[in-house]
Amino acid sequence: MSGVHTRKIEEGEGDQRLDRWFRKHYPHVPQGRIEKMCRKGEIRVDGARAKGATRVEEGQEVRIPPLPDVAAPEILRSPRVSDADAKLIRSCVIYRDEHIIALNKPPGLPTQGGSKQTRHVDGLAEALMEEGDEDKPKLVHRLDKDTSGVLLLARTRLAAKGLAEALRHKRTRKIYWAAVAGVPSPRDGAIKFGLVKAPGHGAGGEGEKMFCLHPDDVRDTEGAKRAETHFTTLSALGGRVAWVALEPITGRTHQLRAHMAEIGHPIVGDGKYGGSGQENLGDGWGAQLGGDLSKKLHLHARSLSFEHPVTRAPLALTAPLPEHMKRTWDALEWLPSEAPDDPFAPPEE
């Protein structure tokens, strides 16, 4: 084991989490070990105790405690990405340059690991590395496990910082497509219910659900956050099901799913917020369409528009529908080619 020493945060390494900086320089040390050393005060920044989430800046000094040897059994690296998974994640790439990668994330694949989730985009991102890359591409935002569509990763620290700032300051534009039970009335509008998280039933918080509350109650409700979603109806089949475009103005957990359910039009296939697994009979209750149509969640991150974090050129990325939604669109004779690029743009005079 190495002895205690200090290490300076070098130029270009600032504005990142301490645990991420640590893993980059000491990749053989597992995350759990880093967190334990932080709790015990063994890792310090400029002499002060720090958490793994503490953001470090250029010029700061990090106290490095004695570390286990690279060959120790407890710190063996995880197995490499399988050939099949590498082929899968590479097939998802819809845009790539020297700074960023955009994927069309398939439904059912988690963005990050968690309780019982060992196969996820963050883990498979290693297969997206090219010769000369110092590290695997980094996630800068996330999608729910069962939501498909545009997902961004950064190949460089500069790109990661720029994209994170753009997302944080709402300089990106996301548009989702969904099939919902019933037809909203009015056919477009804004949903402004606040959201608060209820504890899940699992040991790791699995099954967590967001509850809506009136905007006036957000300030007085512990843990509640304001949320806003814009929606517009693009097509409908009678009063039974509608194709809607959704634009999240805020970015809360399960926001689109909770908001659509709250106004009586849950997203098709949403077992958590659908109110019932029964077939939707056109009354806005029940999140299944019945027949041969898929019971999977019908929510897709269709497009993402933003300024490139390095070149500053405008980018508008679009992801094709996943197979289960494509089958539904075909069955209902909804044509993606006829949808406007910006369904929220005011009509031309």
Side-chain angles (χ1 to χ4, degrees), residues 31-336:
Q31 179 69 23
R33 184 71 175 262
I34 297 172
E35 293 173 356
K36 183 177 180 180
M37 290 188 291
C38 286
R39 287 196 302 270
K40 294 174 67 175
E42 295 175 347
I43 298 176
R44 293 175 176 255
V45 177
D46 285 347
R49 298 176 74 102
K51 297 180 180 179
T54 299
R55 302 196 78 81
V56 295
E57 301 295 342
E58 294 178 10
Q60 289 184 314
E61 292 191 341
V62 181
R63 178 189 186 273
I64 310 297
L67 300 177
D69 296 329
V70 175
E74 65 170 332
I75 53 175
L76 292 178
R77 289 197 179 196
S78 58
R80 64 180 293 273
V81 179
S82 70
D83 291 341
D85 281 344
K87 183 178 180 180
L88 167 69
I89 200 69
R90 290 167 186 159
S91 73
C92 295
V93 175
I94 55 176
Y95 178 86
R96 183 181 196 127
D97 64 27
E98 60 184 307
H99 301 287
I100 64 176
I101 295 175
L103 305 179
N104 182 6
K105 188 189 84 65
L109 181 65
T111 304
Q112 294 175 291
S115 177
K116 300 181 181 179
Q117 301 290 354
T118 58
R119 182 173 175 268
H120 43 79
V121 173
D122 190 33
L124 302 186
E126 180 181 332
L128 299 174
M129 294 178 66
E130 292 183 345
E131 186 175 352
D133 288 348
E134 294 184 0
D135 200 0
K136 70 178 184 180
K138 301 175 179 63
L139 290 166
V140 293
H141 65 122
R142 63 184 297 274
L143 293 173
D144 288 347
K145 174 183 175 181
D146 294 319
T147 302
S148 57
V150 183
L151 182 69
L152 291 179
L153 297 93
R155 297 184 63 193
T156 63
R157 284 196 43 73
L158 181 61
K161 181 178 180 180
L163 289 172
E165 289 179 351
L167 289 160
R168 185 164 55 247
H169 297 295
K170 299 179 175 59
R171 296 197 300 268
T172 61
R173 186 124 185 272
K174 303 175 186 176
I175 294 177
Y176 290 71
W177 281 0
V180 302
V183 181
S185 180
R187 292 172 69 95
D188 53 59
I191 307 168
K192 298 183 179 182
F193 289 105
L195 294 170
V196 63
K197 184 182 292 184
H201 301 293
E206 309 95 294
E208 286 183 341
K209 188 172 182 178
M210 306 302 293
F211 287 109
C212 292
L213 66 163
H214 193 279
D216 292 344
D217 297 330
V218 171
R219 180 177 297 180
D220 299 324
T221 304
E222 184 178 358
K225 296 180 180 179
R226 73 174 193 88
E228 182 174 351
T229 299
H230 293 176
F231 70 91
T232 186
T233 304
L234 301 179
S235 190
L237 179 64
R240 188 177 178 214
V241 61
W243 167 14
V244 298
L246 302 167
E247 182 179 4
I249 305 304
T250 52
R252 311 303 184 197
T253 300
H254 295 179
Q255 176 178 317
L256 304 181
R257 297 164 63 186
H259 271 176
M260 292 310 296
E262 184 67 18
I263 66 170
H265 300 285
I267 295 172
V268 170
D270 193 343
K272 185 184 291 285
Y273 294 94
S276 171
Q278 70 189 33
E279 184 176 342
N280 162 41
L281 300 176
D283 55 2
W285 192 256
Q288 303 302 338
L289 293 180
D292 295 330
L293 298 181
S294 176
K295 294 183 179 181
K296 293 181 179 180
L297 184 70
H298 284 56
L299 179 61
H300 178 68
R302 172 64 174 178
S303 66
L304 181 59
S305 303
F306 59 99
E307 183 183 86
H308 192 286
V310 179
T311 69
R312 301 305 175 189
L315 274 179
L317 304 175
T318 301
L321 289 172
E323 189 59 34
H324 76 282
M325 288 181 68
K326 184 178 183 300
R327 289 197 301 269
T328 298
W329 261 238
D330 289 344
L332 300 177
E333 298 184 351
W334 291 341
L335 300 177

Side-chain angles (χ1 to χ4, degrees), residues 18-32:
L18 172 62
D19 54 3
R20 291 176 182 168
W21 175 88
F22 202 99
R23 288 201 307 271
K24 180 178 179 181
H25 291 284
Y26 306 98
H28 63 285
V29 181
Q31 179 69 23

